[in-house]
Amino acid sequence: MSEGTNTPRVYLDHNATTPLRPEVGRLWQELAQSNLGNPSSLHASGRAARDVIDRARERVAAALGVLEDEVVFTGGGTEANNLALQGRAAALPKDRTILAGATEHPSVQAVVERLAKIGRPIKRLAVDRSGLVNPEQVAFFLESGPVGLMTLQLANSEVGTVQPVAELASLLGARGEGPTLHVDAVQALGRLPLDLAGDLARADLVSLSAHKVGGPLGVGILVRRKGTALAAPLVGGGQEEGLRPGTEAAPAIGAAALAVELAVRDQESHATEVREHATWLWSELTSALPGLDLLGPPIEDASRRLPNTLTLHLGEQDARLLVTRLDQEGLECSAGSACSSGAVEASHVLLAMGLDERAARAGLRLSLGRNTTRSDCKRALDVLVKVISPLLATRNNSVDL
């Protein structure tokens, strides 16, 4: 909880971004003030900056259980997704179909739409009311013609649905032989077990982002397995194996590596704590606000939903307007993905889950984080009941009439 000028504030928008971890901030500041040079320069200051990046790559690889030369630093999760999809599509034969989930992050949706406009064959993977992809549909598409790439979000940023990626990956065949598998794991890091040597060993490309786990903004990670060819969308420099030209932000990358290490180390305890808080909050909300719906898999299905995410459905209330009202009362949350919540259209995620246009504007996302306390949850409960109760009463009265 943070204090504003008059109203105590509670931040429940951790799926959008997380507060910088203190130890990560200290390292970032220390590196930023150490007079590092350009990492591509050959003099001592340049070599010092290069050493920071090399050590960061080593630490990230060790934390994720991958090889050092499989770690590519980017400017964020969105860039990692773009590099993975545009880069891989450009390296594939043009007749190969691309499979994409209907509820993917906007940074994936936009790339897929662009590829469709230039004639690449695209097939969308439908989801059920919980947001889950059907393995039978994946199998059908794989049998229907040559598939070059499948992209899936491991954990959905809006409703918290966790896809059965390991099960779906088993349909693709061995890595290096079947279609390329890209996994957007941005929301999963630090919240779910991320076993890139086990359940996700089949993934050829995996996108991650530092600021979702208490790291600095502006640093993403693309895990590119050996043998996975990418055509660089940008040119003009040889950084990151030529895949991401431009001078690297060595201090931020060094700090991001620490954030990833801590996220992996603390994942189990963090997930347990935020799940307990989220479960308590949902239980209290349903008692205080009968008729409130939870989007995504059931709260008790821990294997199929992010432990920290509650997306409430408010019938036909526009959640964007409600976010402003809640903010005035001291509760910060979201109407959906931070990359799309400012848009006027209905949520593509909720539309894909079967909601109509009006109902797809009524999803209110609460996402808890490492700093969330039970006191924060109690304060959030008070604010939610205060703001939502009159809306539900109006809706119920309208139905009675």
Side-chain angles (χ1 to χ4, degrees), residues 166-351:
E167 178 185 354
L168 298 171
S170 68
L171 302 173
L172 302 180
R175 196 171 74 213
E177 297 177 5
T180 301
L181 174 61
H182 166 249
V183 176
D184 175 358
V186 166
Q187 293 292 342
L189 180 62
R191 296 166 184 162
L192 302 174
L194 203 60
D195 188 0
L196 299 188
D199 288 345
L200 293 179
R202 176 58 180 79
D204 303 277
L205 299 160
V206 181
S207 300
L208 305 164
S209 180
H211 78 98
K212 304 295 187 181
V213 291
L217 291 160
V219 181
I221 297 164
L222 178 64
V223 175
R224 179 190 61 154
R225 305 288 193 170
K226 276 188 170 299
T228 305
L230 295 179
L234 302 177
V235 295
Q239 292 88 352
E240 296 303 302
E241 307 259 339
L243 294 173
R244 205 255 173 172
T247 302
E248 305 98 327
I253 289 173
L258 175 59
V260 171
E261 280 185 332
L262 296 174
V264 172
R265 184 197 71 184
D266 298 342
Q267 181 273 317
E268 186 174 0
S269 60
H270 170 64
T272 298
E273 182 175 17
V274 292
R275 181 176 288 112
E276 289 175 352
H277 289 329
T279 301
W280 179 88
L281 180 55
W282 173 242
S283 176
E284 295 297 314
L285 281 169
T286 54
S287 296
L289 302 170
L292 196 64
D293 293 322
L294 180 68
L295 295 173
I299 189 74
E300 62 271 12
D301 192 353
S303 67
R304 284 289 171 260
R305 64 178 301 118
L306 282 174
N308 75 316
T309 304
L310 297 173
T311 300
L312 316 179
H313 193 251
L314 307 165
E316 297 185 344
Q317 297 292 332
D318 191 322
R320 293 168 303 157
L321 302 178
L322 190 57
V323 165
T324 301
R325 180 76 180 89
L326 292 169
D327 185 42
Q328 293 171 343
E329 296 290 336
L331 174 59
E332 298 180 350
C333 55
S334 172
S337 167
C339 296
S340 62
S341 60
V344 296
E345 65 268 13
S347 163
H348 75 280
V349 172
L350 303 189
L351 289 172

Side-chain angles (χ1 to χ4, degrees), residues 78-101:
T78 290
E79 185 183 329
N81 283 339
N82 272 259
L83 175 57
L85 298 179
Q86 294 193 68
R88 186 56 185 156
L92 289 170
K94 290 183 171 52
D95 66 339
R96 294 294 192 269
T97 295
I98 296 170
L99 304 182

Side-chain angles (χ1 to χ4, degrees), residues 48-133:
R50 175 56 53 193
D51 183 60
V52 168
I53 295 172
D54 289 344
R55 285 188 288 112
R57 200 181 314 276
E58 178 183 358
R59 295 170 74 174
V60 168
L64 298 177
V66 299
L67 301 174
E68 289 178 41
D69 58 3
E70 293 180 330
V71 175
V72 179
F73 291 116
T74 71
T78 290
E79 185 183 329
N81 283 339
N82 272 259
L83 175 57
L85 298 179
Q86 294 193 68
R88 186 56 185 156
L92 289 170
K94 290 183 171 52
D95 66 339
R96 294 294 192 269
T97 295
I98 296 170
L99 304 182
T103 57
E104 300 303 301
H105 187 269
S107 62
V108 169
Q109 294 283 353
V111 174
V112 171
E113 290 168 7
R114 174 178 290 183
L115 293 172
K117 288 179 180 178
I118 62 173
R120 301 305 295 261
I122 306 293
K123 291 184 178 178
R124 296 285 189 171
L125 301 173
V127 299
D128 62 17
R129 294 286 293 192
S130 294
L132 290 166
V133 167

Side-chain angles (χ1 to χ4, degrees), residues 5-16:
T5 53
N6 298 308
T7 307
R9 303 196 65 78
V10 176
Y11 182 77
L12 295 186
D13 202 17
H14 291 261
N15 286 9

